[in-house]
Amino acid sequence: MHRTAEKKFIPIPQIRITDAGAEEYVFIDFDIDLSSFNHEPLTNEILIQNLEDQSEQERIRADAIDFEGYEPKRVILSELRKKPEIDYNKCKTLLFKLITQVTDSYEYSYGTNGMQNIVMMYKRDISEKIYNQMMQHFYCDNGLIQEEVVGTRRYNLPLNFTYRTSVSLYENFSGDVRSVRFTGIRKGVFSEVKFDSAEGELSFARIIERDEDVLNWLRPAPKEFNITYNHGKNYEPDFVVETEDTIYLVEVKAERDLNNPDVIAKKNRGILYCETVKHWSEANGYKPWKYLFIPANQIYQNSTFNMIAKKFTVIN
């Protein structure tokens, strides 16, 4: 038998990482932002200096350079492969896509010769700009991580927050939702909460507060879970929802953020957490855990929690 629901308490399994494993960077597919690639072909003379013999110099005209056999894409790729975070075998498709977008842009503006000229003169700067954008579209994955459950708390951590105005959960309000304290909550572990978004988190809370299938729900405090990701960042889930037979770890995200690398990293860790604690919970008389990842624009006023859970429960 599962543990009987306690009105103001949801047991949160605490985990301990026993083996951090090997980390690797996973890059998300994206299109290059070309706004910073504003190089122009060098049209005047180029001074070639022998660094070992300072007296040895040669001047050639830029428009007279013979580019036969010069492969600008491979030149840029060679620079990018020097970066320790980039595993060529795992992201070669993305690398060639981004490099091609850059070289095609230069070729469109300056012709093939002009593009080759630009790459020859600015290959390091070009590769650095591509690399910087790639590092904005990655998450750190630890495929070998091992965790163990070390028990649960007998209470949930209270939230400490500041606010400008206070209204009941279903009451209309004006201004930034993040400055509002919502009161009168009955099914929540705590009777007062705050939200970061109106269309997503607040809408979802209004559904689960009135849903007959929901026994308890919680807005977790920052230290409620000890789930880390991306070199020790702390993952703070949006909700925990308890029903008669399951506990759900819930993340609600705006559509624009669904492919954000940070969001994907947290999602993967949330899935792993639920897999880890599911087996422990079932063996120790607690309810199994599932991970629920919900696009905010899929939450409607007439939604029920059961409808949402069936559609957005993640199966890894």
Side-chain angles (χ1 to χ4, degrees):
M1 293 292 291
H2 293 307
R3 177 195 63 87
T4 302
E6 298 178 35
K7 186 176 181 181
K8 294 297 180 183
F9 167 63
I10 300 178
I12 306 295
Q14 302 298 298
I15 58 172
R16 177 171 62 204
I17 296 175
T18 57
D19 182 2
E23 296 179 327
E24 65 178 38
Y25 288 88
V26 179
F27 291 95
I28 307 300
D29 184 46
F30 71 101
D31 291 316
I32 203 79
D33 178 359
L34 294 167
S35 60
S36 63
F37 292 87
N38 47 20
H39 306 94
E40 295 181 357
L42 192 64
T43 56
N44 53 5
E45 290 185 331
I46 300 173
L47 176 64
I48 300 177
Q49 172 74 61
N50 187 328
L51 298 179
E52 295 181 357
D53 183 355
Q54 297 295 317
S55 64
E56 185 178 334
Q57 296 180 343
E58 180 183 1
R59 293 182 180 275
I60 60 174
R61 289 188 56 80
D63 57 5
I65 297 175
D66 182 8
F67 287 110
E68 183 177 356
Y70 186 70
E71 300 182 63
K73 293 181 182 180
R74 295 197 176 276
V75 169
I76 299 172
L77 177 63
S78 178
E79 293 294 321
L80 286 169
R81 292 186 69 174
K82 297 176 183 178
K83 303 296 185 181
E85 300 89 351
I86 296 178
D87 185 329
Y88 170 75
N89 291 323
K90 292 184 177 180
C91 57
K92 58 184 177 182
T93 300
L94 176 62
L95 284 169
F96 277 107
K97 169 188 169 181
L98 301 178
I99 292 170
T100 299
Q101 288 178 343
V102 172
T103 55
D104 283 356
S105 174
Y106 284 132
E107 188 168 12
Y108 177 81
S109 298
Y110 302 107
T112 301
N113 193 76
M115 177 269 291
Q116 293 171 320
N117 179 310
I118 290 171
V119 173
M120 174 178 283
M121 298 307 301
Y122 303 106
K123 62 182 181 182
R124 288 191 180 89
D125 188 49
I126 290 172
S127 63
E128 194 67 23
K129 290 180 186 298
I130 295 174
Y131 167 75
N132 288 338
Q133 290 195 33
M134 289 183 68
M135 293 306 291
Q136 296 172 13
H137 294 82
F138 85 97
Y139 65 88
C140 188
D141 185 46
N142 192 327
L144 301 178
I145 195 170
Q146 294 180 13
E147 299 171 329
E148 62 175 337
V149 180
V150 295
T152 67
R153 291 193 192 94
R154 301 302 302 173
Y155 58 92
N156 295 122
L157 300 178
L159 287 166
N160 296 314
F161 47 75
T162 59
Y163 56 93
R164 292 184 179 180
T165 186
S166 180
V167 299
S168 66
L169 184 63
Y170 295 98
E171 188 177 345
N172 292 327
F173 65 94
S174 59
D176 188 347
V177 69
R178 292 170 295 183
S179 67
V180 180
R181 178 185 68 168
F182 292 90
T183 64
I185 295 166
R186 298 178 181 177
K187 288 193 175 183
V189 172
F190 300 106
S191 60
E192 300 175 350
V193 295
K194 283 183 62 179
F195 303 104
D196 294 322
S197 64
E199 292 77 13
E201 294 177 359
L202 174 57
S203 296
F204 181 72
R206 286 172 168 170
I207 288 172
I208 58 179
E209 172 68 9
R210 68 171 182 255
D211 196 291
E212 61 182 16
D213 292 324
V214 174
L215 302 181
N216 286 323
W217 64 272
L218 172 71
R219 284 281 285 167
K223 300 297 183 181
E224 187 78 63
F225 291 86
N226 56 331
I227 306 175
T228 59
Y229 72 103
N230 275 5
H231 300 297
K233 290 183 180 179
N234 190 48
Y235 174 34
E236 301 173 13
D238 292 331
F239 295 89
V240 178
V241 177
E242 181 178 15
T243 65
E244 188 65 37
D245 56 7
T246 306
I247 297 178
Y248 295 85
L249 189 66
V250 182
E251 191 72 23
V252 180
K253 280 289 172 272
E255 186 176 17
R256 66 179 180 276
D257 296 327
L258 296 182
N259 293 318
N260 181 291
D262 196 67
V263 171
I264 292 175
K266 289 189 286 189
K267 176 182 178 181
N268 290 340
R269 286 296 287 115
I271 294 170
L272 180 59
Y273 173 86
C274 290
E275 289 179 341
T276 299
V277 304
K278 176 183 177 181
H279 303 295
W280 179 91
S281 297
E282 292 176 332
N284 288 274
Y286 291 87
K287 299 175 183 179
W289 283 66
K290 294 183 180 180
Y291 191 72
L292 197 52
F293 188 80
I294 311 170
N297 65 350
Q298 296 297 306
I299 300 173
Y300 307 109
Q301 289 185 358
N302 62 347
S303 296
T304 66
F305 179 73
N306 188 44
M307 290 167 53
I308 293 173
K310 283 184 176 180
K311 188 172 183 179
F312 297 110
T313 296
V314 177
I315 301 175
N316 192 28

